[in-house]
């Protein structure tokens, strides 16, 4: 639950910084894409670990 709250806070802060002009759109897009890719990768690793434990 804490990870979701922290992730949401980072995304809201990033959107606020972009709106204020502190970061450009490319940086924001890069951070969002890297975060999404990392989240998908971690989710797959957790899924594979759970399947491994279930099947053994």
């Amino acid at each position: 639950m804490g990870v979701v709250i922290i992730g949401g806070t980072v995304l809201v802060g990033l959107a606020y910084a972009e709106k204020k002009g502190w970061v450009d759109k490319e940086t924001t897009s890069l951070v969002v894409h890297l975060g999404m890719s990392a989240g998908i990768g971690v989710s797959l690793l957790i899924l594979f670990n759970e399947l491994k434990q279930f099947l053994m």
Side-chain angles (χ1 to χ4, degrees), residues 4-47:
V4 173
I5 293 171
I6 292 171
T9 304
V10 167
L11 289 177
V12 168
L14 193 60
Y16 180 76
E18 182 184 355
K19 190 170 184 105
K20 287 286 190 177
W22 297 336
V23 294
D24 57 350
K25 234 174 202 201
E26 291 84 25
T27 303
T28 305
S29 176
L30 176 69
V31 169
V32 169
H33 285 192
L34 285 175
M36 287 176 21
S37 296
I40 290 169
V42 169
S43 297
L44 285 174
L45 286 174
I46 291 171
L47 174 68

